[in-house]
Amino acid sequence: MSFRLLHVLPTLDIRSGGPLRLVLDLAERARGFGLDSEVVGTGDLYLPDCRLAPQRIHWRPRALLRNYSYSPGLRVWLCQHLRRFDGVLIHGAWTYSALVAARQCRRQRVPYAVFPHGMLEAWAVNGQGRWKSWKKHLYWKLWEQQIYEAARCVFFTTRREQESTQEVFPLAPSQLVLPVYGIEPATLPVPAPENPNLVRPQGESWVLSLGRVHPKKNVDFLIRAWALARPPESWRLLIVGPAEPGYRSALQQMVRRLGVEAQVRFVDFVAGADKAYLFQQSEWFLLPSKQENFGVAVLESIAHRCPVVISDQVFLAESFPADAEILPLEMNAWVEFFVRRMTDETWRQRRIETDRRHLLERFEMSRVAREWAEVIPRSLKG
């Protein structure tokens, strides 16, 4: 007998980052193991290449306060449909969608769990300035704390996220670390992108930074390291993903000021065959984040046989082998990689095989989906 699960998210715009993608991908795969999922969210609706059937996705518009995901229609929908489900999984934090979902679950006696996806971790709460820290601590006291006190379980993506969160907000309910994405055992090559502007010119070598272009991702640090290293002229740094116009403009000005505009290219959001092509055509994937509770794009890259270089603040680093390219956020360490190891093909091939083999043991996609189908219902049933 299947377990009917509702995922509640603050957005249905795939450009917002990893949590929505992992929910959509794993919700569909876990159906084969008896976890029957639907998704409800607010804001812009943008879901290219979505695996989940359209009738399982429910969208409600926002009204004012866009960053807070305020949506009276979401409350109405939950009032009408919540009892169809055996349990609810609330994703994210600090949003109206989480607050209203938890309240409706308590009123209708539907069990729920919470998956904060790094949003309660120390850097996310206290590492972005005093004003944001003060607002979140106040919001916790007024509203957010009640969500967690009544939850059946709190899920974390990594052990480090769990420990970092406990340093800020001690959480009483049952807690579990649950893998949130996986690697496909094999990936078919993409001979050409759908967008002809993305075709790799003959003779160029690419390194890729792909994801939401945000200060947390430390893209400015990456550009400065690239400029100091001065890689061979045939190498290109691709910075791919959506960004606020002001932040993208600041990065482009930095590129010009450092004199590397011939080697650094900015590309907007990509999906499907275009994203797969970029992974497969790139020599390395780079993620020097200041904080990353997991890193879905890291596993996507390895799935496409593109080796990765990540900072030690990407919490998925705890699952890599000891000799992996896990670098501290120190300029010299990243410059040294660009100068000494980036162009070493023997080392690159070793990283592809070793990292892929090591991570497949824990994050093979069907194994992750099966774990979702077993752990989530058991946790919600109490």
Side-chain angles (χ1 to χ4, degrees):
M1 183 176 179
S2 64
F3 184 91
R4 294 165 298 176
L5 177 69
L6 176 67
H7 294 273
V8 179
L9 294 117
T11 178
L12 290 180
D13 186 341
I14 203 68
R15 294 168 293 190
S16 64
L20 177 58
R21 172 164 296 283
L22 66 90
V23 168
L24 295 175
D25 286 355
L26 277 168
E28 178 58 27
R29 288 179 169 90
R31 287 185 63 208
F33 301 103
L35 186 61
D36 189 5
S37 296
E38 296 181 31
V39 174
V40 64
T42 69
D44 296 332
L45 180 64
Y46 185 69
L47 298 174
D49 307 308
C50 179
R51 292 177 178 269
L52 201 60
Q55 63 268 26
R56 296 179 177 274
I57 299 172
H58 312 284
W59 170 79
R60 289 297 174 266
R62 294 179 186 172
L64 304 175
L65 302 173
R66 290 179 59 82
N67 291 336
Y68 183 55
S69 70
Y70 178 65
S71 172
L74 176 60
R75 181 184 61 80
V76 173
W77 189 92
L78 290 169
C79 288
Q80 295 172 344
H81 296 277
L82 198 56
R83 289 191 180 276
R84 290 197 291 111
F85 300 94
D86 300 311
V88 174
L89 186 51
I90 298 171
H91 296 267
W94 318 117
T95 62
Y96 174 79
S97 59
L99 182 62
V100 71
R103 285 178 174 175
Q104 289 301 318
C105 284
R106 292 197 297 271
R107 288 171 182 169
Q108 301 189 41
R109 300 184 182 277
V110 177
Y112 72 91
V114 190
F115 215 147
H117 296 286
M119 295 182 187
L120 301 184
E121 184 267 334
W123 185 92
V125 176
N126 296 324
Q128 303 179 73
R130 185 175 300 176
W131 171 240
K132 285 189 176 182
S133 176
W134 181 85
K135 285 197 301 181
K136 287 180 177 178
H137 280 280
L138 177 62
Y139 191 94
W140 175 263
K141 290 291 186 183
L142 294 176
W143 296 294
E144 195 76 12
Q145 186 173 9
Q146 63 185 260
I147 297 174
Y148 287 82
E149 287 177 344
R152 288 282 179 89
C153 183
V154 179
F155 292 116
F156 295 97
T157 54
T158 60
R159 175 189 54 80
R160 284 180 64 184
E161 183 203 347
Q162 182 182 29
E163 292 174 350
S164 181
T165 298
Q166 286 293 113
E167 294 173 5
V168 185
F169 301 119
L171 302 176
S174 172
Q175 300 173 30
L176 291 170
V177 174
L178 185 68
V180 295
Y181 209 70
I183 301 173
E184 301 284 8
T187 301
L188 296 175
V190 178
E194 294 178 357
N195 181 353
N197 294 324
L198 297 179
V199 174
R200 181 173 64 86
Q202 188 173 2
E204 283 190 3
S205 298
W206 286 355
V207 293
L208 179 65
S209 170
L210 184 147
R212 187 167 57 104
V213 182
H214 183 274
K216 185 182 82 166
K217 306 292 185 179
N218 225 6
V219 180
D220 57 329
F221 173 92
L222 186 62
I223 292 171
R224 290 197 303 272
W226 183 271
L228 287 170
R230 294 293 175 182
E233 291 184 2
S234 61
W235 285 74
R236 300 288 184 269
L237 171 60
L238 272 62
I239 300 171
V240 180
E244 293 292 333
Y247 184 56
R248 185 188 297 274
S249 177
L251 293 175
Q252 291 170 331
Q253 291 176 23
M254 172 185 287
V255 166
R256 289 191 292 269
R257 186 171 66 253
L258 295 175
V260 290
E261 60 266 43
Q263 288 186 296
V264 179
R265 180 182 175 187
F266 291 87
V267 178
D268 210 341
F269 175 81
V270 296
D274 286 345
K275 181 167 71 168
Y277 178 84
L278 292 180
F279 276 127
Q280 293 174 10
Q281 292 295 317
S282 296
E283 305 296 314
W284 296 92
F285 172 75
L286 310 175
L287 186 62
S289 290
K290 297 176 183 177
Q291 181 270 342
E292 201 79 36
N293 71 295
F294 190 75
V296 169
V298 175
L299 291 185
E300 288 184 297
S301 182
I302 291 173
H304 289 289
R305 304 188 66 82
C306 177
V308 303
V309 187
I310 62 179
S311 81
D312 56 7
Q313 298 307 306
V314 177
F315 291 173
L316 186 59
E318 68 183 30
S319 299
F320 274 76
D323 62 344
E325 285 286 359
I326 312 295
L327 304 182
L329 284 177
E330 298 171 2
M331 188 62 67
N332 289 342
W334 288 77
V335 171
E336 182 183 16
F337 166 76
F338 289 140
V339 171
R340 296 184 180 276
R341 301 189 298 282
M342 181 178 72
T343 59
D344 185 338
E345 181 60 19
T346 300
W347 175 246
R348 195 182 81 86
Q349 290 297 327
R350 177 178 171 179
R351 291 270 50 86
I352 291 173
E353 299 304 327
T354 303
D355 293 353
R356 185 179 174 90
R357 182 173 62 252
H358 191 89
L359 287 158
L360 267 173
E361 294 177 2
R362 179 69 184 92
F363 295 104
E364 195 275 322
M365 186 66 88
S366 63
R367 177 179 177 177
V368 175
R370 186 183 299 108
E371 189 165 347
W372 272 48
E374 294 173 355
V375 173
I376 294 174
R378 185 169 67 242
S379 300
L380 287 168
K381 290 175 183 177

